[in-house]
Amino acid sequence: MNKKDSWLFWWTLYLNAAAWIILGIFSLIRLEADYLLVVGVCLTLSLANIVGFTKCNKGMAYLHSCQHVSDWGKLFCTVLCIALTNCLLF
């Protein structure tokens, strides 16, 4: 993945959450409880995406740090990375 694609992906995630926050403020000012509920659900899902992709990114960074080790080391590193990622997600 190149830097431009990565930059676009992460900024899109953050801007999506920011847009839901702005819409939530507007619906709070207008006292529209129905829209505030929808915005709350959408903001929760956006934040879950950010947290999940951040954990995944950290796991992949750890996996890429194991590139200099032997094949058995890579296998151990991969299994450890998968186990850590599963523990972090739950």
Side-chain angles (χ1 to χ4, degrees):
M1 180 181 294
N2 62 26
K3 294 277 185 186
K4 289 182 181 179
D5 289 341
S6 176
W7 181 85
L8 180 66
F9 173 76
W10 287 106
W11 276 100
T12 303
L13 276 180
Y14 294 129
L15 289 176
N16 186 14
W20 284 116
I21 289 171
I22 292 169
L23 289 172
I25 291 170
F26 285 138
S27 64
L28 188 64
I29 290 171
R30 291 183 174 184
L31 298 174
E32 295 176 343
D34 295 343
Y35 292 125
L36 192 59
L37 180 65
V38 171
V39 168
V41 169
C42 293
L43 181 60
T44 303
L45 293 174
S46 293
L47 292 176
N49 270 340
I50 291 172
V51 170
F53 282 119
T54 301
K55 288 182 179 181
C56 218
N57 191 27
K58 287 180 184 178
M60 287 305 295
Y62 178 76
L63 186 62
H64 286 301
S65 70
C66 297
Q67 295 299 325
H68 63 281
V69 295
S70 67
D71 289 336
W72 284 105
K74 285 182 184 178
L75 178 64
F76 175 75
C77 220
T78 303
V79 169
L80 182 65
C81 182
I82 292 170
L84 285 175
T85 303
N86 286 338
C87 287
L88 291 175
L89 291 177
F90 299 107

